[in-house]
Every structure is written in structure tokens, then in C-alpha cells.
């Protein structure tokens, strides 16, 4: 996935989910937005003060060029996801402690796992009985189930296995409470 593709995906998410996005992130300062994004996307913002500062500065630079706050944030969402999943975690970056590097690796694993579960959720929603997974409004049962399942995903692969099993059982038994 290229940076441009990731940016476009981030913009599409923010534009199609603007009510949710604005409710969740709209009142946050730029640095609080970046910190919350790290936590919501990747499970942690541990040992990433420099990263928060870096992304906050990029966000503020985009806003300074006249982009709306929402448009600037949409672009940053995609860029952050791209950089997290594209980062080569096989080479320890200079200056990182072992715990800092572990947090970097875990962030990438968490995002990769959330992508895998999102794809499983999307695929299941398109199969027989999968319409139970399709959210029609923010806050409906399917929407809440998808948010809950993704919030439970961590860097641990067992969370992916459990989530996909829950998705499949929910569809098979037509019961979102199984997610």
C-alpha cells in the first residue's frame, strides 16, 4: 500500500464515517488526537512521545496550508497507518531501548491483526447470512459489534482467532452477541 493509497483510504474513512469520526476525535487538540489515534489504531502510544510530536507537527503543517481540521486529520490517519504497517521491524532503529522497540513491533502487529479481522468481517458480511454484520447507522447493533470486536484486537494472534470465530458464529447463529 502506498502512502497516497493510505491517505485516500484515510480520507474515505473520515468522509464516510464523519459523524463517528467527529464524535470520537472532533473535540481533541491535535496532540490528543494523535495520541488517541495511536491507542485506537495500534493499541498503545507507549514510548512514542517523539512520534506524537512528529505527527502533531505534520498535522499542524497541513492545517496551516488551509486544509480543514477534518481534511488534515483524514490525511494523517492514512499516513500513520501506512507508516505503521510498512515499517521494517526487522532492523532495530538506532536509539531505541528494548521496550521502545517492542512497542513499535507490537503497534505494527496490532494494526496488521486489526486489518485481518476487518477483512474477515467484510468478507463474512458479504456471504450467506452476513447481512447481520452490516451496520446501517452509527450505534446500531452491527456497528457496535464491529467496534467492540476491533477494540479487542491486540498484537496477540489469539485475539484474531477468537474474533474470527466470533464473527463466524454470529453469522451462523444470527446472533451479534457472539462477537
Amino acid at each position: 500500500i502506498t502512502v497516497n493509497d493510505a491517505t485516500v483510504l484515510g480520507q474515505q474513512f473520515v468522509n464516510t464515517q464523519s459523524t463517528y469520526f467527529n464524535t470520537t476525535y472532533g473535540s481533541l487538540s491535535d496532540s490528543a488526537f494523535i495520541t488517541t489515534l495511536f491507542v485506537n489504531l495500534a493499541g498503545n502510544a507507549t514510548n512514542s512521545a517523539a512520534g506524537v510530536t512528529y505527527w502533531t507537527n505534520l498535522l499542524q503543517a497541513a492545517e496551516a496550508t488551509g486544509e480543514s481540521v477534518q481534511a488534515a486529520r483524514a490525511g494523517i490517519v492514512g499516513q500513520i497507518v501506512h507508516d505503521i504497517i510498512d515499517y521494517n521491524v526487522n532492523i532495530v532503529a538506532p536509539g531505541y531501548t528494548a521496550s521502545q522497540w517492542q512497542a513499535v513491533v507490537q503497534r505494527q502487529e496490532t494494526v496488521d491483526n486489526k486489518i485481518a479481522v476487518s477483512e474477515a468481517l467484510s468478507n463474512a458480511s458479504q456471504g450467506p447470512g452476513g447481512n447481520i454484520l452490516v451496520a446501517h447507522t452509527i450505534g446500531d447493533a452491527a456497528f457496535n459489534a464491529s467496534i467492540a470486536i476491533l477494540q479487542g484486537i491486540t498484537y496477540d494472534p489469539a485475539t484474531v482467532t477468537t474474533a474470527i470465530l466470533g464473527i463466524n458464529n454470529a453469522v451462523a447463529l444470527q446472533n451479534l452477541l457472539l462477537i
Side-chain angles (χ1 to χ4, degrees):
I1 186 169
T2 67
V3 173
N4 187 49
D5 291 340
T7 300
V8 168
L9 287 173
Q11 290 166 338
Q12 288 175 340
F13 167 75
V14 172
N15 292 336
T16 62
Q17 303 298 320
S18 61
T19 301
Y20 171 76
F21 187 84
N22 290 333
T23 299
T24 304
Y25 302 107
S27 65
L28 300 176
S29 69
D30 287 343
S31 62
F33 166 72
I34 297 296
T35 300
T36 303
L37 197 58
F38 264 88
V39 172
N40 288 348
L41 286 173
N44 70 61
T46 306
N47 301 318
S48 60
V52 170
T53 299
Y54 170 80
W55 288 106
T56 300
N57 289 341
L58 283 181
L59 177 58
Q60 290 172 344
E63 293 168 353
T65 65
E67 280 192 71
S68 70
V69 170
Q70 183 170 327
R73 288 180 177 192
I76 290 293
V77 168
Q79 289 176 27
I80 289 173
V81 170
H82 171 269
D83 287 4
I84 288 173
I85 63 176
D86 198 48
Y87 196 82
N88 183 356
V89 295
N90 296 313
I91 302 169
V92 178
Y96 280 83
T97 66
S99 66
Q100 288 172 322
W101 191 250
Q102 181 180 13
V104 168
V105 171
Q106 288 176 346
R107 275 193 293 274
Q108 185 178 73
E109 291 168 347
T110 298
V111 171
D112 287 344
N113 288 347
K114 286 184 179 195
I115 290 169
V117 171
S118 295
E119 288 174 344
L121 190 62
S122 176
N123 291 337
S125 74
Q126 297 171 40
N131 60 336
I132 190 174
L133 301 172
V134 177
H136 298 284
T137 61
I138 293 174
D140 75 8
F143 180 87
N144 290 335
S146 66
I147 296 296
I149 202 164
L150 289 172
Q151 286 176 338
I153 303 304
T154 69
Y155 59 88
D156 183 351
T159 63
V160 175
T161 302
T162 300
I164 292 173
L165 181 62
I167 292 166
N168 293 336
N169 286 336
V171 170
L173 299 172
Q174 292 295 287
N175 184 350
L176 288 172
L177 297 176
L178 298 173
I179 292 183

